[in-house]
Amino acid sequence: MRQFDLAPLYRSTVGFDRLFSALDQFVASDAVPSYPPYNIERTGENAYRITVAVAGFTEADLSIEVKENALTLKGERKGEASRTTEVLHQGIAARGFERRFQLADYVQVTGASLDHGLLHIDLVREIPEAKKPRHIQIASGSTRTTPVIEGTAQESRTREAA
C-alpha cells in the first residue's frame, strides 16, 4: 500500500487538523475490524441510517456514545456465565466489539432501535441558518438603497416600510 506524506499540507494550512487526522486514519486502516457487519444508508436528502448486525445482543449489552463528531458503538454480552449447555459449534459470534464512525459537521444522532438482531441508528444533518446559502438582491445605480438580504430581520423591516 502507498504511504502519503501529509507534512507539507500541515505546514501550509490552518484549521484543517481534523481533516488531515481523518486522512491519516484512512490511509493507516490496514487492520480495520470487520465485526460486526454494518450498512450505511441515505434515507432522505439530509437523513442517514447506520444498521449494524448485532445478533444475540440485547439493549442492555449495547451502548452508543457521540463525542466530538465521533459515534462509538460498543457491545459486550452480559450474563453468559450461567450457560448450562455445551456448545458443539459456535457460528454466531458472541465476542464484544467496539465500532467507531466519524460524523460530518452538523450530523446529529436522532434515535436508535434494536429490531430482529439489527441495531438501527438514525442520523440527520441539520445545517444552521447562518451556514445556509442566502439570496442577495442587487440594486441598480439609481435606486440604490439599503441592501436587502433574503431571510433576515432587515428584509422584514423593509417590507413593512413599503
Side-chain angles (χ1 to χ4, degrees), residues 3-48:
Q3 295 293 342
F4 295 101
D5 183 20
L6 299 177
L9 295 175
Y10 281 113
R11 289 191 301 262
S12 62
T13 60
V14 176
F16 291 94
D17 299 341
R18 192 173 60 207
L19 173 67
F20 294 137
S21 295
L23 284 173
D24 284 338
Q25 289 174 357
F26 180 72
V27 170
S29 62
D30 294 337
V32 174
S34 61
Y35 177 77
Y38 65 93
N39 293 338
I40 300 175
E41 310 164 55
R42 173 178 259 166
T43 59
E45 184 177 340
N46 289 316
Y48 304 89

Side-chain angles (χ1 to χ4, degrees), residues 116-147:
H116 300 293
L118 297 174
L119 176 65
H120 302 285
I121 304 170
D122 294 316
L123 307 129
V124 67
R125 183 177 58 183
E126 295 177 352
I127 301 172
E129 288 296 322
K131 299 287 183 179
K132 290 184 179 177
R134 300 176 300 165
H135 178 74
I136 300 172
Q137 186 177 16
I138 302 171
S140 65
S142 62
T143 60
R144 188 175 182 137
T145 61
T146 308

Side-chain angles (χ1 to χ4, degrees), residues 53-118:
V54 291
F57 288 86
T58 65
E59 290 92 345
D61 298 334
L62 300 169
S63 71
I64 302 170
E65 179 182 282
V66 179
K67 182 179 179 184
E68 297 178 3
N69 289 7
L71 170 68
T72 304
L73 173 62
K74 293 180 185 177
E76 185 177 344
R77 293 189 62 181
K78 299 171 181 120
E80 287 295 314
S82 62
R83 184 181 290 267
T84 59
T85 61
E86 178 184 357
V87 178
L88 300 177
H89 170 75
Q90 185 167 355
I92 300 173
R95 64 184 182 267
F97 64 88
E98 183 173 325
R99 171 76 71 175
R100 285 193 172 93
F101 299 94
Q102 279 300 123
L103 302 178
D105 290 338
Y106 313 117
V107 172
Q108 302 293 322
V109 176
T110 59
S113 63
L114 184 62
D115 187 33
H116 300 293
L118 297 174

